[in-house]
Each structure stands twice: as structure tokens, then as C-alpha cells.
Amino acid sequence: MRSMWKVLQEQIAHFYLVRRLSIYDIKSKNQNNYLGIVWEVLTPVISILIYWFVFGTLRSRAPIEMDGMEVPFFFWLFIGFVVWTFFYQASIEASKSIYTRLKMLSKMNFPLSVIPNIPIFSKFYTHLIMLTIAFIVFQFAGYYVSVYFIQIPYFIFATYVLVYSFALITSTLSTLIRDVHLVLNSLLRMLLYLSGVLWPLSMLSDFPKLVVIMQLNPLVYLIEGYRAAFFGTEWFLVTEWKYSLYFWGLMLVMLFIGSVLHIKFRRNFIDYL
């Protein structure tokens, strides 16, 4: 637990630095583009429209039923993809953050556990903007603000915890073994189809054991929680309290493993360059 507590203290102590470097990261990546940082939002929006066209239009996907209420496939997909985009982009960028920045940042006086948080925080800005766009779109679509929206800050925090816990593990392993990053990219692309983003798990109602196995994926918990909040169907974190306990138990384990790995190997990171 010492390693985990130390890593958390480092994030809190250097939060200002993370925020400043994340803004610089966004600007530096988009400085040569005419639309600049607009692409940070435009790219996921285009992806949502493509998946909606393929799965919603060409395949004529029927409305999705949520707790007795039918919701159009586009809006159902929209929320799931917003969560997925943040997780995927932040995880990929964070997994390679240490070995791509180590030479430059090793000369600066701050802990290496902060490095994965920089690309995560830069993608977090985009996530907040996408949620704002979703909020506006939902108001025009007739899904007005309800008391269930109170859950959204909770799920935002939970998503960030998942991404950082996951990134702390993958960024360490990717620095030690570069192939990890390549394997991770492929696995995460496959995970898109196993997280309830493009199709509801209710389609597997005839295979309850398979549904239980798929629900072990923490992304399913987050995506379903976001949808419950936006569509105003239930207090997801309360009605699914066992699922909530499982999620936070898993986060604690992941953060512990990531912290131990990171603290153990970070003094030798430079040897792996």
C-alpha cells in the first residue's frame, strides 16, 4: 500500500504541473493544423457518425430498450462512444508516454508517475467537451435534465480512475517491453466490440453466463452508468450496488499493481531506452 499511497501523493502534489503540460500537449499536437484543437472534438464526432451509419442505418438497428423505455440507436451509441473514445485514446497515449518522453523529462525534477497523467488529462478536456455536446444534443432530442444527472460527476471520476490505473500498468510494461504497446492497440480495438458500445448486452439474454463474463469488463459498468444518467432511467450506482463494489474493488487492485510495478522499475527506466 505504500507504493499506491506514494503515487497518489505525487499526483496531488504535481497536479498544477500536469494541467499545464497537458494544455501544452494539446497545443503542440495541433499547431500545424488549420483547425487546430478543433480536431480533438471533430475526430470522435466523425467516428460516431461513421459507426451510426454502418450499424444504425445500413443495418437498420431498431431502438434500444432501457428499463422499459425505447431510445433511438444514435443517442444510445453517442453516449457509449463518448466514454469509449476517452478510454481508448487516453490509454493508448498514456501507455507510450514514459518511453517517448523519458529523455526529455528525466532532466526535470518531478516523479515519473506523473507522466502518464499528462496525455490522460489532455484527453480529459476533450471528454468534457464531448459530454457537453451530448448534453446539448439530448436537450434538443427531448431527453431533458433530470435528477439522475447527479450521477454524471461520479462516473466521470470513475472513468478517470480506470484510465489512470490501467495506464500506470501499461506505461510501465511498455517501457520495459515495447511490444506491449503494439499488442495493447490491437486488444483495445477488439474491446470496442466487447464493451456494449455498439450493441446491447441484452442481445445475449439467452446466454446469461456469457453476459456475466462480459460484465467483468469495467468499461461496461461505466458505459451503462453514463447511459442511465443521460436517459434518466435509474440510479445506476445504487440499484447496481454490487456491480459498483466490484468496480471499485477492481480499481483498487489495478492501482495497487500499477503502483508497485512503477515504483519498482522506474529507477531503471533509462536503461530500457
Side-chain angles (χ1 to χ4, degrees):
M1 296 297 288
R2 286 184 182 179
S3 298
M4 185 170 65
W5 179 240
K6 185 175 182 179
V7 167
L8 291 176
Q9 285 181 316
E10 290 172 350
Q11 308 314 303
I12 296 172
H14 296 84
F15 175 76
Y16 176 75
L17 182 64
V18 170
R19 188 175 64 84
R20 290 291 302 272
L21 290 177
S22 65
I23 294 175
Y24 172 78
D25 190 52
I26 295 174
K27 292 180 178 179
S28 63
K29 285 182 178 180
N30 297 280
Q31 63 181 353
N32 295 324
N33 301 328
Y34 285 111
L35 295 180
I37 61 175
V38 174
W39 280 110
E40 294 291 324
V41 175
L42 194 58
T43 299
V45 168
I46 292 174
S47 298
I48 291 172
L49 293 175
I50 291 174
Y51 279 102
W52 168 69
F53 178 74
V54 173
F55 289 93
T57 304
L58 293 184
R59 301 195 63 178
S60 301
R61 181 65 59 84
I64 307 298
E65 184 174 335
M66 294 183 60
D67 291 330
M69 179 179 69
E70 287 191 346
V71 298
F73 177 73
F74 173 77
F75 300 110
W76 182 86
L77 173 68
F78 198 131
I79 296 301
F81 211 87
V82 167
V83 182
W84 164 257
T85 299
F86 172 52
F87 173 78
Y88 174 74
Q89 292 183 345
S91 296
I92 290 297
E93 291 296 322
S95 69
K96 62 180 181 180
S97 60
I98 293 180
Y99 72 77
T100 56
R101 293 174 170 86
L102 191 56
K103 286 185 178 180
M104 176 184 69
L105 298 178
S106 60
K107 301 177 182 178
M108 303 175 69
N109 187 26
F110 64 88
L112 294 179
S113 67
V114 169
I115 298 179
N117 227 345
I118 296 172
I120 294 174
F121 212 84
S122 67
K123 296 302 179 183
F124 184 63
Y125 290 122
T126 305
H127 183 57
L128 294 180
I129 294 173
M130 290 298 297
L131 287 176
T132 302
I133 293 174
F135 174 80
I136 296 172
V137 169
F138 270 52
Q139 301 313 298
F140 282 104
Y143 298 101
Y144 303 114
V145 177
S146 68
V147 68
Y148 297 103
F149 269 63
I150 298 175
Q151 300 174 99
I152 294 178
Y154 162 79
F155 285 110
I156 291 175
F157 174 73
T159 304
Y160 199 100
V161 172
L162 169 62
V163 174
Y164 181 73
S165 301
F166 186 60
L168 199 57
I169 297 173
T170 58
S171 62
T172 301
L173 295 179
S174 295
T175 305
L176 303 179
I177 308 172
R178 299 300 162 75
D179 295 39
V180 170
H181 177 71
L182 299 176
V183 173
L184 179 66
N185 200 355
S186 300
L187 289 178
L188 288 186
R189 290 181 182 276
M190 180 181 67
L191 195 64
L192 171 64
Y193 299 92
L194 302 175
S195 303
V197 179
L198 303 176
W199 51 274
L201 297 187
S202 58
M203 293 178 64
L204 299 176
S205 57
D206 294 334
F207 306 94
K209 291 184 179 180
L210 183 57
V211 173
V212 171
I213 292 174
M214 293 188 67
Q215 287 178 331
L216 295 177
N217 175 4
L219 263 180
V220 173
Y221 171 80
L222 295 172
I223 291 171
E224 293 302 313
Y226 269 95
R227 284 170 174 158
F230 268 91
F231 289 111
T233 56
E234 61 178 323
W235 292 103
F236 189 81
L237 66 94
V238 177
T239 57
E240 300 292 339
W241 64 271
K242 291 182 180 179
Y243 204 3
S244 298
L245 289 178
Y246 162 76
F247 175 83
W248 287 110
L250 181 61
M251 292 306 99
L252 188 62
V253 171
M254 289 177 60
L255 187 58
F256 174 76
I257 294 174
S259 300
V260 171
L261 286 174
H262 180 84
I263 296 297
K264 181 178 181 181
F265 291 105
R266 70 179 177 182
R267 291 182 179 180
N268 302 316
F269 278 163
I270 195 69
D271 298 332
Y272 293 93
L273 289 180

